[in-house]
Amino acid sequence: FTSMFDFSFARVWRIVRVSRAVKLVRTFSWVRKLRLMIASIMSSLLSLMWAFILLFSLLYLFAVFILQGVVGFLGSSNLADIHPALLQHYGSILTACYTLFKSIAGGDDWGDLAEPLESISRTYLV
């Protein structure tokens, strides 16, 4: 019974010491600035989420626009063998979204990715 009491007392004493250390750390000015920065980041997460939703919605919209042009161009004649890069970069909605994301995120150069679209229309190059 006494060993259990000593063990629980030591645990409580350790928690008290840790809480004192945390209180001491809070008093440092750089910790206050760090807490302010973390609070600012946490409060801006909702705005960041809406910015990502807007970005991916526009990405999806332009991918659908480009994909309709590619399907119309390749559907009018059997040109899939002549333009394999069209199918590689713009063959489905997922690959078109991924291609557009790579172009805005710096993964690939837009000039290289837009080159196959030039055979369809110069409108897609803008």
Side-chain angles (χ1 to χ4, degrees), residues 37-124:
M37 286 175 31
I38 290 173
S40 300
I41 290 170
M42 295 300 288
S43 65
S44 67
L45 285 179
L46 185 64
S47 299
L48 182 65
M49 180 195 68
W50 283 113
F52 275 127
I53 288 173
L54 178 65
L55 175 72
F56 288 116
S57 298
L58 288 173
L59 206 82
Y60 181 78
L61 181 74
F62 280 98
V64 167
F65 174 69
I66 290 173
L67 190 63
Q68 281 185 334
V70 169
V71 167
F73 178 72
L74 294 179
S76 63
S77 59
N78 194 6
L79 298 174
D81 297 333
I82 300 172
H83 300 287
L86 277 175
L87 288 179
Q88 179 186 358
H89 296 300
Y90 308 102
S92 70
I93 192 69
L94 193 60
T95 57
C97 284
Y98 180 62
T99 301
L100 291 176
F101 180 76
K102 285 192 306 186
S103 70
I104 64 170
D108 280 341
D109 187 35
W110 173 243
D112 297 336
L113 297 174
E115 207 171 286
L117 295 174
E118 191 174 8
S119 60
I120 298 173
S121 174
R122 290 183 104 17
T123 306
Y124 296 113

